[in-house]
Amino acid sequence: MGYIYPNDAPGITSDFNTVEVYGKVGLDAPLSPSLAVYYDVDKVKGLYVEGSVSHGIPLGATTLNLGALGGFSNNMDPSADDFTSNFADNGFTHLDLSASIDLTAGPLSITPALHFQFSGDDATKVTKLTNTGVNQKDTKIWGGVTISWSKAFGGEAEE
């Protein structure tokens, strides 16, 4: 995957262009464990690893989905004026605990989600950029809603 900036945003030049390779594997096993590995081969030359588990709990016609995701970085230790790295230090970046519920009505699906994040890296603690500096917190609570519509088109497949 390549990250290419067309140089039309203030403060962003081709110096921020980079290339990253990644892979992800998941197991069809209890807790659905998965592991994702990202390596920037150009500017950052750093490794980011993310492990996660999830479990669905049936609640009648719907499911409560619980998840945990942890991130770790290596060789992402930039100088103070280097903004090409995603993390401030090497090691634990964050732990994200999540809960979501699937609500469906025909082809319409609504999935509200809530996350509680513990941050270990200064770059993952950012909550807001202001004129006077950066607001940071060790923990964050955030959420959102995904709304989707899915409908198959066409007739039945012939045998």
Side-chain angles (χ1 to χ4, degrees):
M1 177 174 285
Y3 301 96
I4 299 170
Y5 298 93
N7 305 325
D8 61 358
I12 295 182
T13 69
S14 61
D15 292 341
F16 288 87
N17 294 348
T18 191
V19 176
E20 179 179 82
V21 295
Y22 69 95
K24 184 175 183 178
V25 63
L27 298 176
D28 186 12
L31 296 182
S32 304
S34 70
L35 181 69
V37 177
Y38 304 81
Y39 185 73
D40 186 299
V41 298
D42 189 16
K43 299 290 183 187
V44 178
K45 294 183 176 62
L47 178 72
Y48 174 68
V49 178
E50 197 172 77
S52 65
V53 293
S54 63
H55 182 69
I57 300 170
L59 298 176
T62 190
T63 301
L64 173 64
N65 302 298
L66 302 175
L69 177 146
F72 300 87
S73 67
N74 187 33
N75 203 27
M76 299 252 193
D77 206 0
S79 63
D81 60 346
D82 182 3
F83 299 105
T84 60
S85 185
N86 294 321
F87 303 103
D89 296 306
N90 293 317
F92 171 72
T93 60
H94 67 290
L95 172 66
D96 183 310
L97 304 176
S98 63
S100 67
I101 193 161
D102 299 321
L103 306 169
T104 59
L108 182 65
S109 176
I110 301 172
T111 306
L114 184 64
H115 293 257
F116 187 72
Q117 180 177 313
F118 299 92
S119 298
D121 185 273
D122 284 345
T124 63
K125 295 179 181 184
V126 174
T127 58
K128 181 169 68 170
L129 301 176
T130 67
N131 292 338
T132 59
V134 176
N135 290 351
Q136 294 182 314
K137 292 186 179 180
D138 290 338
T139 59
K140 301 177 197 176
I141 297 175
W142 59 279
V145 176
T146 300
I147 301 172
S148 61
W149 180 79
S150 178
K151 179 81 171 149
F153 292 103
E156 295 287 324
E158 294 183 28
E159 293 184 25

